[in-house]
Coordinates of all heavy atoms in Angstrom, one line a residue:
A125 N 6.0 -5.6 -17.6 CA 4.6 -5.2 -17.7 C 4.3 -4.1 -16.7 O 3.6 -3.2 -17.0 CB 3.7 -6.4 -17.5
F126 N 4.9 -4.3 -15.4 CA 4.6 -3.3 -14.4 C 5.3 -1.9 -14.7 O 4.7 -0.9 -14.5 CB 5.1 -3.8 -13.0 CG 4.1 -4.8 -12.4 CD1 4.5 -6.1 -12.2 CD2 2.9 -4.4 -12.0 CE1 3.6 -7.0 -11.7 CE2 2.0 -5.3 -11.5 CZ 2.3 -6.6 -11.3
A127 N 6.5 -2.0 -15.4 CA 7.1 -0.8 -15.8 C 6.3 0.0 -16.8 O 6.2 1.2 -16.8 CB 8.5 -1.1 -16.3
Q128 N 5.7 -0.8 -17.7 CA 4.9 -0.2 -18.8 C 3.6 0.4 -18.2 O 3.2 1.5 -18.5 CB 4.5 -1.2 -19.8 CG 3.8 -0.6 -21.0 CD 3.5 -1.7 -22.1 OE1 3.1 -2.8 -21.8 NE2 3.7 -1.3 -23.3
L129 N 3.0 -0.3 -17.2 CA 1.8 0.2 -16.5 C 2.2 1.5 -15.8 O 1.4 2.5 -15.9 CB 1.3 -0.8 -15.5 CG 0.1 -0.3 -14.7 CD1 -1.1 0.0 -15.5 CD2 -0.2 -1.4 -13.6
G130 N 3.4 1.6 -15.1 CA 3.8 2.8 -14.4 C 4.0 3.9 -15.4 O 3.6 5.1 -15.1
A131 N 4.5 3.6 -16.6 CA 4.7 4.7 -17.6 C 3.4 5.2 -18.1 O 3.2 6.5 -18.2 CB 5.5 4.1 -18.8
F132 N 2.4 4.4 -18.3 CA 1.1 4.8 -18.8 C 0.4 5.6 -17.7 O -0.2 6.7 -18.0 CB 0.2 3.6 -19.1 CG 0.6 2.8 -20.3 CD1 0.2 1.5 -20.5 CD2 1.2 3.4 -21.4 CE1 0.5 0.8 -21.6 CE2 1.6 2.8 -22.5 CZ 1.2 1.4 -22.7
L133 N 0.5 5.2 -16.5 CA -0.1 5.9 -15.4 C 0.5 7.3 -15.2 O -0.2 8.3 -14.9 CB -0.1 5.1 -14.1 CG -1.0 3.9 -14.0 CD1 -0.7 3.1 -12.7 CD2 -2.4 4.3 -14.0
T134 N 1.8 7.4 -15.3 CA 2.5 8.6 -15.1 C 2.1 9.6 -16.2 O 1.8 10.8 -16.0 CB 4.0 8.4 -15.2 OG1 4.4 7.5 -14.2 CG2 4.8 9.7 -15.1
Y135 N 2.0 9.1 -17.5 CA 1.5 9.9 -18.6 C 0.1 10.4 -18.4 O -0.2 11.6 -18.6 CB 1.7 9.1 -19.9 CG 1.1 9.7 -21.1 CD1 1.7 10.7 -21.8 CD2 -0.1 9.2 -21.6 CE1 1.1 11.3 -22.9 CE2 -0.7 9.7 -22.7 CZ -0.1 10.8 -23.4 OH -0.6 11.3 -24.5
K136 N -0.8 9.5 -18.1 CA -2.2 9.8 -17.9 C -2.4 10.8 -16.7 O -3.2 11.7 -16.8 CB -3.1 8.6 -17.7 CG -3.2 7.7 -18.9 CD -4.1 8.3 -19.9 CE -4.3 7.3 -21.1 NZ -5.2 7.9 -22.1
A137 N -1.7 10.6 -15.6 CA -1.8 11.4 -14.5 C -1.4 12.8 -14.8 O -2.0 13.8 -14.4 CB -1.0 10.9 -13.3
A138 N -0.3 12.9 -15.5 CA 0.3 14.3 -15.9 C -0.7 15.0 -16.8 O -1.0 16.2 -16.6 CB 1.6 14.1 -16.6
R139 N -1.3 14.3 -17.7 CA -2.3 14.9 -18.6 C -3.5 15.4 -17.9 O -4.1 16.4 -18.2 CB -2.8 13.9 -19.7 CG -1.9 13.8 -20.9 CD -2.5 13.0 -22.0 NE -3.7 13.5 -22.5 CZ -4.3 13.3 -23.6 NH1 -3.6 12.5 -24.5 NH2 -5.4 13.8 -24.0
A140 N -3.9 14.7 -16.8 CA -5.1 15.0 -16.0 C -4.7 16.0 -14.9 O -5.6 16.5 -14.2 CB -5.7 13.8 -15.5
G141 N -3.4 16.3 -14.7 CA -3.0 17.2 -13.7 C -3.1 16.6 -12.3 O -3.3 17.3 -11.3
V142 N -3.0 15.3 -12.3 CA -3.1 14.6 -11.0 C -1.7 14.2 -10.5 O -0.9 13.6 -11.3 CB -3.9 13.3 -11.1 CG1 -4.0 12.5 -9.9 CG2 -5.4 13.7 -11.6
P143 N -1.3 14.5 -9.3 CA 0.0 14.0 -8.8 C 0.1 12.5 -8.8 O -0.8 11.8 -8.5 CB 0.1 14.5 -7.3 CG -1.1 15.4 -7.1 CD -2.1 15.1 -8.2
M144 N 1.3 12.0 -9.2 CA 1.5 10.6 -9.3 C 2.7 10.3 -8.3 O 3.8 10.8 -8.5 CB 1.9 10.2 -10.7 CG 2.5 8.9 -10.9 SD 1.2 7.6 -11.1 CE 2.2 6.2 -11.4
I145 N 2.5 9.4 -7.4 CA 3.5 9.0 -6.4 C 3.7 7.5 -6.5 O 2.7 6.8 -6.3 CB 3.1 9.4 -5.0 CG1 2.9 10.9 -4.9 CG2 4.2 9.0 -4.0 CD1 2.3 11.4 -3.7
Q146 N 4.9 7.0 -6.7 CA 5.2 5.6 -6.7 C 5.6 5.2 -5.3 O 6.4 5.9 -4.7 CB 6.2 5.2 -7.7 CG 5.7 5.4 -9.2 CD 6.5 4.6 -10.2 OE1 7.1 3.6 -9.9 NE2 6.5 5.1 -11.4
V147 N 5.1 4.1 -4.8 CA 5.5 3.7 -3.4 C 6.1 2.3 -3.5 O 5.8 1.5 -4.4 CB 4.3 3.7 -2.5 CG1 3.8 5.1 -2.3 CG2 3.3 2.7 -2.8
D148 N 6.9 1.9 -2.5 CA 7.4 0.6 -2.4 C 6.3 -0.4 -2.1 O 5.6 -0.2 -1.0 CB 8.4 0.6 -1.2 CG 9.2 -0.8 -1.1 OD1 8.7 -1.8 -1.7 OD2 10.2 -0.8 -0.4
P149 N 6.0 -1.4 -2.9 CA 4.9 -2.2 -2.7 C 5.1 -3.4 -1.7 O 4.2 -4.1 -1.4 CB 4.6 -2.8 -4.1 CG 6.0 -2.9 -4.8 CD 6.7 -1.7 -4.2
R150 N 6.4 -3.5 -1.3 CA 6.7 -4.6 -0.4 C 5.8 -4.7 0.9 O 5.7 -3.6 1.5 CB 8.2 -4.6 0.0 CG 9.1 -5.2 -1.1 CD 10.5 -5.1 -0.7 NE 10.9 -3.7 -0.6 CZ 12.1 -3.3 -0.3 NH1 13.1 -4.1 -0.1 NH2 12.4 -2.0 -0.3
N151 N 5.3 -5.8 1.2 CA 4.5 -6.1 2.4 C 3.2 -5.3 2.5 O 2.6 -5.2 3.6 CB 5.4 -5.8 3.7 CG 6.5 -6.8 3.7 OD1 6.3 -8.0 3.5 ND2 7.7 -6.3 4.1
T152 N 2.7 -4.7 1.5 CA 1.5 -3.9 1.6 C 0.3 -4.8 1.9 O -0.7 -4.4 2.4 CB 1.2 -3.1 0.3 OG1 1.3 -3.9 -0.8 CG2 2.1 -1.9 0.2
S153 N 0.4 -6.1 1.6 CA -0.7 -7.0 1.9 C -0.4 -7.8 3.2 O -1.2 -8.6 3.6 CB -0.9 -8.0 0.7 OG 0.2 -8.9 0.6
R154 N 0.7 -7.5 3.8 CA 1.1 -8.2 5.0 C 1.2 -7.3 6.2 O 1.3 -7.8 7.4 CB 2.4 -8.9 4.8 CG 2.4 -10.0 3.7 CD 3.8 -10.5 3.5 NE 3.8 -11.6 2.5 CZ 4.9 -12.1 2.0 NH1 6.1 -11.7 2.4 NH2 4.8 -13.1 1.1
R155 N 1.1 -6.0 6.0 CA 1.3 -5.1 7.1 C -0.1 -4.7 7.7 O -1.0 -4.3 7.1 CB 2.0 -3.8 6.6 CG 2.2 -2.7 7.7 CD 2.7 -1.4 7.1 NE 2.7 -0.4 8.1 CZ 1.7 0.4 8.4 NH1 0.5 0.3 7.8 NH2 1.8 1.3 9.4
C156 N -0.1 -4.8 9.1 CA -1.4 -4.5 9.8 C -1.5 -2.9 9.8 O -0.5 -2.2 10.2 CB -1.3 -5.0 11.2 SG -2.7 -4.5 12.2
T157 N -2.6 -2.4 9.4 CA -2.8 -1.0 9.4 C -3.1 -0.5 10.8 O -3.1 0.7 11.1 CB -4.0 -0.5 8.5 OG1 -5.1 -1.3 8.8 CG2 -3.6 -0.8 7.0
A158 N -3.5 -1.3 11.8 CA -3.7 -0.9 13.1 C -2.5 -0.8 14.0 O -2.3 0.2 14.7 CB -4.7 -1.9 13.8
C159 N -1.5 -1.7 13.8 CA -0.3 -1.7 14.7 C 1.0 -1.7 13.9 O 2.0 -1.5 14.5 CB -0.4 -2.9 15.7 SG 0.0 -4.5 14.9
G160 N 0.9 -1.9 12.6 CA 2.2 -1.9 11.8 C 2.9 -3.2 11.7 O 3.9 -3.3 11.1
H161 N 2.4 -4.3 12.4 CA 3.1 -5.6 12.4 C 3.0 -6.2 11.0 O 2.0 -6.2 10.4 CB 2.4 -6.5 13.5 CG 3.0 -7.8 13.5 ND1 4.2 -8.1 14.0 CD2 2.5 -9.1 13.2 CE1 4.5 -9.4 14.0 NE2 3.5 -10.0 13.5
I162 N 4.2 -6.7 10.6 CA 4.3 -7.3 9.3 C 4.6 -8.8 9.5 O 5.5 -9.2 10.2 CB 5.4 -6.7 8.4 CG1 5.1 -5.2 8.1 CG2 5.6 -7.5 7.1 CD1 6.2 -4.4 7.5
D163 N 3.7 -9.6 8.9 CA 3.9 -11.1 9.0 C 3.2 -11.7 7.9 O 2.0 -11.4 7.6 CB 3.3 -11.6 10.4 CG 3.8 -13.0 10.7 OD1 3.9 -13.8 9.8 OD2 4.0 -13.3 11.9
K164 N 3.9 -12.6 7.2 CA 3.2 -13.4 6.1 C 2.0 -14.1 6.6 O 1.0 -14.2 5.8 CB 4.2 -14.4 5.5 CG 3.8 -15.1 4.3 CD 4.9 -16.1 3.8 CE 4.4 -16.8 2.6 NZ 5.5 -17.7 2.1
R165 N 2.0 -14.5 7.8 CA 0.8 -15.3 8.3 C -0.4 -14.4 8.7 O -1.4 -14.9 9.0 CB 1.3 -16.1 9.6 CG 2.3 -17.2 9.3 CD 2.9 -17.7 10.6 NE 3.5 -16.7 11.4 CZ 3.8 -16.7 12.7 NH1 3.5 -17.9 13.3 NH2 4.3 -15.7 13.3
N166 N -0.2 -13.0 8.6 CA -1.3 -12.1 8.8 C -2.4 -12.4 7.7 O -3.6 -12.2 7.9 CB -0.9 -10.7 8.7 CG -0.2 -10.2 10.0 OD1 -0.2 -10.9 11.0 ND2 0.4 -9.0 9.9
R167 N -1.9 -12.8 6.6 CA -2.8 -13.1 5.4 C -3.2 -14.5 5.5 O -2.5 -15.4 5.0 CB -2.0 -12.7 4.1 CG -2.8 -12.7 2.9 CD -3.5 -11.4 2.7 NE -4.3 -11.4 1.5 CZ -3.9 -10.7 0.4 NH1 -2.8 -10.0 0.4 NH2 -4.6 -10.7 -0.7
T168 N -4.3 -14.8 6.1 CA -4.7 -16.2 6.3 C -5.3 -16.8 5.1 O -5.3 -18.1 5.0 CB -5.8 -16.3 7.5 OG1 -6.9 -15.5 7.2 CG2 -5.2 -15.8 8.8
S169 N -5.7 -16.0 4.1 CA -6.2 -16.6 2.8 C -6.0 -15.4 1.8 O -5.6 -14.3 2.2 CB -7.6 -17.1 2.9 OG -8.5 -16.0 2.9
Q170 N -6.4 -15.6 0.6 CA -6.3 -14.6 -0.4 C -7.1 -13.3 0.0 O -6.7 -12.2 -0.2 CB -6.8 -15.1 -1.8 CG -6.7 -14.1 -2.9 CD -5.2 -13.8 -3.2 OE1 -4.3 -14.6 -3.0 NE2 -5.0 -12.6 -3.8
A171 N -8.3 -13.6 0.6 CA -9.2 -12.5 1.0 C -9.1 -12.0 2.4 O -9.6 -10.9 2.8 CB -10.6 -12.8 0.6
R172 N -8.6 -12.9 3.3 CA -8.8 -12.7 4.7 C -7.4 -12.2 5.3 O -6.4 -12.7 5.1 CB -9.2 -13.9 5.4 CG -9.6 -13.8 6.8 CD -10.4 -15.0 7.3 NE -10.5 -15.1 8.7 CZ -11.3 -14.4 9.5 NH1 -12.0 -13.4 9.0 NH2 -11.3 -14.5 10.8
F173 N -7.5 -11.2 6.2 CA -6.4 -10.6 7.0 C -6.7 -10.6 8.4 O -7.7 -10.0 8.9 CB -6.0 -9.2 6.5 CG -4.9 -8.6 7.2 CD1 -3.6 -8.7 6.7 CD2 -5.0 -8.0 8.4 CE1 -2.5 -8.1 7.3 CE2 -4.0 -7.4 9.1 CZ -2.7 -7.5 8.5
V174 N -5.9 -11.3 9.2 CA -6.0 -11.2 10.7 C -4.6 -11.0 11.2 O -3.7 -11.9 11.1 CB -6.6 -12.6 11.2 CG1 -6.7 -12.5 12.8 CG2 -7.9 -12.9 10.6
C175 N -4.4 -9.9 11.9 CA -3.1 -9.6 12.5 C -2.7 -10.6 13.6 O -3.5 -10.8 14.5 CB -3.0 -8.2 13.0 SG -1.4 -7.7 13.7
R176 N -1.5 -11.2 13.5 CA -1.0 -12.1 14.4 C -0.6 -11.5 15.7 O -0.6 -12.1 16.8 CB 0.2 -12.9 13.9 CG -0.1 -13.8 12.7 CD -0.7 -15.1 13.2 NE -1.2 -15.9 12.1 CZ -1.4 -17.2 12.2 NH1 -1.2 -17.8 13.3 NH2 -1.8 -17.8 11.2
F177 N -0.4 -10.1 15.7 CA 0.1 -9.4 16.9 C -1.1 -8.8 17.7 O -1.2 -9.1 18.9 CB 1.1 -8.3 16.5 CG 1.7 -7.6 17.7 CD1 2.7 -8.3 18.4 CD2 1.3 -6.4 18.1 CE1 3.3 -7.6 19.5 CE2 1.8 -5.7 19.2 CZ 2.8 -6.4 19.9
C178 N -1.9 -8.1 17.0 CA -3.0 -7.3 17.7 C -4.4 -7.9 17.5 O -5.4 -7.5 18.1 CB -3.0 -5.8 17.4 SG -3.6 -5.4 15.8
G179 N -4.6 -8.8 16.5 CA -5.9 -9.4 16.3 C -6.8 -8.6 15.4 O -7.9 -9.0 15.1
Y180 N -6.3 -7.5 14.9 CA -7.1 -6.7 13.9 C -7.5 -7.5 12.7 O -6.7 -8.2 12.1 CB -6.3 -5.4 13.5 CG -7.0 -4.6 12.4 CD1 -8.1 -3.8 12.7 CD2 -6.5 -4.7 11.1 CE1 -8.7 -3.1 11.7 CE2 -7.2 -4.0 10.1 CZ -8.2 -3.2 10.4 OH -8.9 -2.5 9.4
T181 N -8.7 -7.4 12.3 CA -9.3 -8.1 11.2 C -9.7 -7.1 10.1 O -10.6 -6.3 10.5 CB -10.4 -9.1 11.6 OG1 -10.0 -10.0 12.6 CG2 -10.9 -9.9 10.4
A182 N -9.2 -7.2 8.9 CA -9.6 -6.3 7.9 C -10.9 -6.8 7.2 O -11.1 -8.0 7.2 CB -8.5 -6.2 6.8
E183 N -11.6 -5.8 6.7 CA -12.9 -6.2 6.0 C -12.5 -7.1 4.8 O -13.2 -8.0 4.5 CB -13.5 -4.9 5.5 CG -14.8 -5.1 4.8 CD -15.4 -3.7 4.3 OE1 -15.0 -2.7 4.9 OE2 -16.2 -3.7 3.4
H184 N -11.4 -6.8 4.1 CA -10.9 -7.6 3.0 C -9.4 -7.3 2.8 O -9.0 -6.1 3.0 CB -11.7 -7.2 1.7 CG -11.4 -8.2 0.6 ND1 -10.2 -8.3 -0.1 CD2 -12.2 -9.2 0.1 CE1 -10.2 -9.3 -1.0 NE2 -11.4 -9.8 -0.9
A185 N -8.7 -8.3 2.6 CA -7.2 -8.1 2.5 C -6.8 -7.1 1.4 O -5.8 -6.4 1.6 CB -6.5 -9.5 2.3
D186 N -7.5 -7.1 0.3 CA -7.2 -6.1 -0.7 C -7.5 -4.7 -0.3 O -6.7 -3.8 -0.7 CB -8.0 -6.4 -2.0 CG -7.5 -7.7 -2.7 OD1 -6.3 -8.1 -2.4 OD2 -8.2 -8.3 -3.5
I187 N -8.5 -4.5 0.5 CA -8.8 -3.1 1.0 C -7.6 -2.7 2.0 O -7.1 -1.6 1.9 CB -10.1 -3.1 1.8 CG1 -11.2 -3.3 0.7 CG2 -10.3 -1.7 2.5 CD1 -12.6 -3.5 1.3
L188 N -7.2 -3.6 2.8 CA -6.0 -3.4 3.7 C -4.8 -3.0 2.9 O -4.1 -2.1 3.2 CB -5.7 -4.6 4.6 CG -4.5 -4.4 5.4 CD1 -4.9 -4.6 6.9 CD2 -3.5 -5.5 5.0
G189 N -4.6 -3.8 1.8 CA -3.4 -3.5 0.9 C -3.5 -2.1 0.3 O -2.5 -1.3 0.3
S190 N -4.7 -1.7 -0.1 CA -4.9 -0.3 -0.7 C -4.7 0.8 0.4 O -4.2 1.8 0.1 CB -6.2 -0.2 -1.4 OG -7.3 -0.4 -0.6
D191 N -5.1 0.5 1.6 CA -5.0 1.4 2.7 C -3.5 1.6 3.0 O -3.0 2.7 3.2 CB -5.6 0.9 4.0 CG -7.2 1.1 3.9 OD1 -7.7 1.8 3.0 OD2 -7.8 0.5 4.8
N192 N -2.7 0.5 2.9 CA -1.2 0.6 3.1 C -0.6 1.4 2.0 O 0.3 2.3 2.3 CB -0.6 -0.8 3.2 CG -0.6 -1.3 4.6 OD1 -0.3 -0.6 5.6 ND2 -1.0 -2.6 4.7
I193 N -1.0 1.2 0.8 CA -0.5 2.0 -0.3 C -0.8 3.5 -0.2 O 0.0 4.4 -0.4 CB -1.0 1.4 -1.7 CG1 -0.4 0.0 -1.9 CG2 -0.7 2.4 -2.8 CD1 -1.0 -0.7 -3.0
A194 N -2.1 3.8 0.2 CA -2.5 5.2 0.4 C -1.7 5.8 1.5 O -1.3 7.0 1.4 CB -4.0 5.2 0.7
Y195 N -1.4 5.1 2.6 CA -0.7 5.6 3.7 C 0.7 6.0 3.2 O 1.3 7.0 3.6 CB -0.7 4.6 4.8 CG 0.3 5.0 5.9 CD1 -0.1 5.9 6.9 CD2 1.5 4.4 6.0 CE1 0.7 6.2 7.9 CE2 2.4 4.7 7.0 CZ 2.0 5.6 8.0 OH 2.9 6.0 9.0
R196 N 1.4 5.1 2.5 CA 2.7 5.3 2.0 C 2.8 6.5 1.1 O 3.7 7.3 1.1 CB 3.3 4.1 1.3 CG 3.6 3.0 2.3 CD 4.2 1.8 1.7 NE 4.3 0.7 2.7 CZ 4.8 -0.5 2.5 NH1 5.3 -0.8 1.3 NH2 4.9 -1.4 3.4
A197 N 1.8 6.6 0.2 CA 1.7 7.7 -0.8 C 1.6 9.0 0.0 O 2.3 10.0 -0.3 CB 0.6 7.5 -1.7
A198 N 0.7 9.0 1.0 CA 0.5 10.3 1.8 C 1.8 10.7 2.5 O 2.1 11.9 2.6 CB -0.7 10.1 2.8
S199 N 2.5 9.7 3.1 CA 3.7 10.1 3.9 C 4.8 10.5 2.9 O 5.5 11.4 3.2 CB 4.1 8.9 4.8 OG 4.7 7.9 4.1
T200 N 4.9 9.9 1.7 CA 5.9 10.3 0.7 C 5.5 11.7 0.2 O 6.4 12.6 0.1 CB 5.9 9.3 -0.5 OG1 6.2 8.0 0.0 CG2 6.9 9.7 -1.5
W201 N 4.2 12.0 0.0 CA 3.8 13.3 -0.4 C 4.1 14.4 0.6 O 4.7 15.4 0.3 CB 2.3 13.3 -0.7 CG 1.7 14.6 -1.1 CD1 1.1 15.5 -0.3 CD2 1.8 15.2 -2.4 NE1 0.7 16.6 -1.1 CE2 1.1 16.5 -2.3 CE3 2.4 14.8 -3.6 CZ2 1.0 17.3 -3.4 CZ3 2.2 15.7 -4.7 CH2 1.6 16.9 -4.6
A202 N 3.9 14.0 1.9 CA 4.1 15.0 3.0 C 5.6 15.3 3.1 O 6.0 16.5 3.3 CB 3.6 14.4 4.3
Q203 N 6.5 14.3 2.9 CA 7.9 14.5 2.9 C 8.4 15.4 1.7 O 9.2 16.2 1.9 CB 8.7 13.2 2.9 CG 8.6 12.5 4.2 CD 9.1 11.0 4.1 OE1 9.8 10.7 3.2 NE2 8.7 10.2 5.1
S204 N 7.8 15.1 0.5 CA 8.2 15.8 -0.7 C 7.8 17.3 -0.7 O 8.3 18.1 -1.4 CB 7.8 15.1 -1.9 OG 6.4 15.2 -2.1
T205 N 6.7 17.6 0.0 CA 6.2 18.9 0.0 C 6.5 19.7 1.3 O 6.1 20.8 1.5 CB 4.6 18.9 -0.2 OG1 4.0 18.2 0.9 CG2 4.3 18.4 -1.5
A206 N 7.2 19.0 2.3 CA 7.6 19.7 3.5 C 8.5 20.8 3.2 O 9.3 20.8 2.3 CB 8.2 18.7 4.4
P207 N 8.5 21.9 4.1 CA 9.4 23.0 3.9 C 10.9 22.5 4.0 O 11.2 21.7 4.8 CB 9.1 23.9 5.1 CG 7.7 23.5 5.5 CD 7.6 22.1 5.2
G208 N 11.6 22.9 3.0 CA 13.0 22.5 3.0 C 13.3 21.3 2.1 O 14.4 20.9 1.8
A209 N 12.2 20.6 1.7 CA 12.4 19.4 0.8 C 12.8 19.9 -0.6 O 12.3 20.9 -1.1 CB 11.1 18.6 0.7
A210 N 13.6 19.1 -1.3 CA 14.1 19.5 -2.6 C 13.0 19.4 -3.6 O 12.2 18.5 -3.6 CB 15.3 18.7 -2.9
Ligands
LIG17 ZN1 -1.9 -5.5 14.2

């Protein structure tokens, strides 16, 4: 199901002229965006995120997850468009 969703998104993004970047989804809901600490226990409930290392509290765990995905996409994009990148 996820592979099919990826194929649809790639197709739609190409049609719209929007760059499409796939990122590794591992730990996106467990990684603190303030300090980078990854811990399953950072996610105290489905909606709540509290970093065990620095105490950072996210407005909502899903927003934190989307921030981590956006960060990974931006860094992947920067690497792919850097001078000398293939
Ligand atoms: Zn933290």
